[in-house]
Amino acid sequence: ERTGLYLKEGRLKAGGRKAALVIENRSYSLTADAVHQTAVLSELLLPKHVSSVDILLQEEGLVGPTINYEFKRNLAPARATGKQRSSDDVKVLAPRTLAQPTNMTDYGYPSLGFGVDLAARVQLMDPDDPARKQVYAKLTGRLQLSDHFNVWMRYEQDIYNDFSTARRSNSRLQKVRTLINNYLVNGESGLEQLYGEYKKSLSPSVHSRLYAGILESMYGGVGGEVLYSPYKQRWALGLSVNAVKQREFERNLQFRDYDTVIGHVSAYYASPFYDIDMALHVGRYLAEDRGYTLEARRTFDSGFSVGGFFTRTNVSAKDFGEGSFDKGLFFRIPFNGFLPGNTRAAYSTILRSLERDGGRRLENFGGSLWFDRRALRFDALDRNRDRMVPR
């Protein structure tokens, strides 16, 4: 646990030559590094008669592939024998759960954890001020009730803020996003999130997520997502549905009159070229317009990710307003390497030239399981097998 790995379950029968460990990676930006650490500890600490280990990967209650590692404890140095450990000692196998574990870790649920750090948000392209900004302190909390159920909380305390409500929305659509500055001014300090979330793999290929509560700055509600992602396949299909209500500007527990139901059917593809992930989402958006969103992201082994997207709906360019349709860039910058030790924390942001109301979805709810599970996909693990091997 001190190394950033949670050993959930294990199986080792008396005299058995193979051990099985269910591992959750809490600290390593690259899953291959978490597997490497597990393999090192397994060689050091498992009984001498054990010759291989199955590492069953699990993250936030969702199952990932199984990694099989063949031990070579008695291997002499490579310069003496001409032999060394290689990626051939590691195999990426289909996801599975551990039947009849001989050992289980009691984590003493419920458990409560808190974190405090500084954060910032930026708004570009405002004609009155092209770089509005806020610096704030962020208090986060996690109440873990089981391997699958968590309650998440985030409160933001303003430190510096120069956002303005001087420019009023001229949108012809329902104002689902163009009121954002009212939240950033009237709710400069407030409750950003407070929701319960349940994640579980229904099978090795089907993963689900349910949530309810205060979901983001402007909306609260209930929703869910299902992802069908077959083992070894570069494609996946998803479905997400959300029933939401717009929050009051002060970011408290009160709501405005507007409510709606949105939903999308999604198709995903992991390109073998430059690790580019593509997604197509088709469905209904917050302003009750209908259409599609196409996005593409490239993710590096460091965890850095960059991409872009655009959305076209049945809203005309005239009704949409300036910009004609929604579009933007996505960035994710990992903190691993900047901070001591290992961490999976990162700064993520979406840059838009304009905040308009057409083609808008919830932020980080719906269509996120595919990207959240990217490090657990077969292609991401298989090409990093050499990095998993103890040296």
Side-chain angles (χ1 to χ4, degrees):
E1 192 169 331
R2 295 192 194 100
T3 68
L5 302 170
Y6 277 39
L7 176 57
K8 299 286 188 176
E9 298 175 340
R11 185 178 66 207
L12 179 59
K13 295 182 179 179
R17 297 183 60 82
K18 177 182 282 191
L21 307 174
V22 178
I23 295 292
E24 180 172 355
N25 171 26
R26 290 287 184 95
S27 298
Y28 295 86
S29 179
L30 187 65
T31 303
D33 292 341
V35 174
H36 172 270
Q37 185 64 42
T38 306
V40 169
L41 294 174
S42 298
E43 279 197 328
L44 288 172
L45 302 174
L46 285 173
K48 291 183 179 180
H49 60 78
V50 176
S51 59
S52 70
V53 61
D54 283 344
I55 303 169
L56 285 65
L57 297 175
Q58 184 184 104
E59 286 194 9
E60 300 289 348
L62 304 178
V63 300
T66 298
I67 309 296
N68 174 258
Y69 172 59
E70 296 289 337
F71 291 169
K72 292 190 176 179
R73 286 168 160 156
N74 299 321
L75 193 65
R79 63 178 180 272
T81 64
K83 298 180 181 179
Q84 60 181 349
R85 295 175 175 88
S86 72
S87 59
D88 294 335
D89 299 326
V90 176
K91 297 179 178 63
V92 183
L93 308 176
R96 63 184 176 89
T97 56
L98 188 60
Q100 300 178 335
T102 56
N103 301 76
M104 299 180 68
T105 304
D106 180 5
Y107 286 102
Y109 298 133
S111 63
L112 183 63
F114 289 99
V116 179
D117 60 323
L118 292 177
R121 56 169 56 93
V122 177
Q123 192 177 82
L124 304 176
M125 309 302 179
D126 187 320
D128 298 328
D129 187 342
R132 297 193 184 277
K133 53 204 168 291
Q134 181 189 24
V135 178
Y136 57 94
K138 181 173 63 176
L139 171 65
T140 56
R142 177 187 188 182
L143 174 62
Q144 191 168 6
L145 299 174
S146 72
D147 282 343
H148 302 283
F149 186 46
N150 291 275
V151 177
W152 300 92
M153 184 276 289
R154 175 171 161 179
Y155 182 87
E156 297 177 352
Q157 176 61 49
D158 180 64
I159 297 175
Y160 175 84
N161 186 335
D162 64 5
F163 288 110
S164 170
T165 58
R167 288 177 59 87
R168 296 186 177 275
S169 171
N170 62 357
S171 178
R172 298 186 179 186
L173 305 176
Q174 180 67 41
K175 296 178 176 58
V176 296
R177 288 299 183 192
T178 51
L179 295 176
I180 184 60
N181 277 25
N182 293 78
Y183 292 86
L184 300 178
V185 174
N186 298 331
E188 60 181 6
S189 296
L191 184 65
E192 177 72 2
Q193 293 178 323
L194 179 61
Y195 66 93
E197 180 182 50
Y198 184 83
K199 286 183 176 181
K200 188 172 183 179
S201 294
L202 305 179
S203 76
S205 300
V206 180
H207 314 285
S208 66
R209 177 190 186 203
L210 300 173
Y211 41 84
I214 304 298
L215 303 179
E216 48 134 297
S217 296
M218 292 185 65
Y219 293 94
V222 299
E225 180 181 2
V226 177
L227 177 71
Y228 175 62
S229 181
Y231 170 64
K232 275 193 176 183
Q233 299 300 317
R234 289 185 171 273
W235 60 270
L237 299 174
L239 172 67
S240 63
V241 179
N242 299 279
V244 297
K245 192 174 181 69
Q246 197 171 72
R247 300 177 61 191
E248 284 288 358
F249 298 147
E250 290 77 14
R251 288 200 294 168
N252 50 28
L253 297 177
Q254 297 180 333
F255 292 86
R256 294 164 58 83
D257 290 336
Y258 183 68
D259 60 83
T260 188
V261 175
I262 64 174
H264 288 82
V265 175
S266 303
Y268 305 94
Y269 180 69
S271 168
F273 304 104
Y274 300 107
D275 302 317
I276 295 176
D277 296 313
M278 292 175 284
L280 174 66
H281 311 285
V282 180
R284 172 168 151 150
Y285 295 81
L286 284 170
E288 300 185 350
D289 47 338
R290 292 174 171 83
Y292 67 90
T293 298
L294 183 64
E295 61 180 314
R297 300 183 191 181
R298 183 180 181 185
T299 303
F300 299 83
D301 285 343
S302 64
F304 178 80
S305 182
V306 60
F309 67 91
F310 70 87
T311 299
R312 302 304 298 262
T313 71
N314 57 352
V315 173
S316 67
K318 181 179 179 180
D319 286 339
F320 183 92
E322 186 180 0
S324 301
F325 60 92
D326 189 46
K327 49 196 172 290
L329 298 175
F330 171 86
F331 295 92
R332 181 183 186 274
I333 303 173
F335 294 153
N336 197 51
F338 297 99
L339 300 175
N342 296 295
T343 179
R344 304 191 74 182
Y347 173 74
S348 297
T349 188
I350 295 175
L351 295 182
R352 288 181 169 88
S353 56
L354 294 165
E355 288 284 356
R356 304 301 295 176
D357 294 313
R360 300 302 296 270
R361 299 187 293 160
L362 293 176
E363 301 292 348
N364 299 318
F365 292 92
S368 60
L369 277 179
W370 165 265
F371 293 105
D372 289 347
R373 289 179 47 81
R374 186 189 186 283
L376 286 175
R377 290 206 315 257
F378 173 82
D379 59 292
L381 291 168
D382 187 62
R383 63 185 174 81
N384 279 301
R385 285 188 299 131
D386 187 64
R387 192 161 175 163
M388 302 176 190
V389 181
R391 300 297 181 184

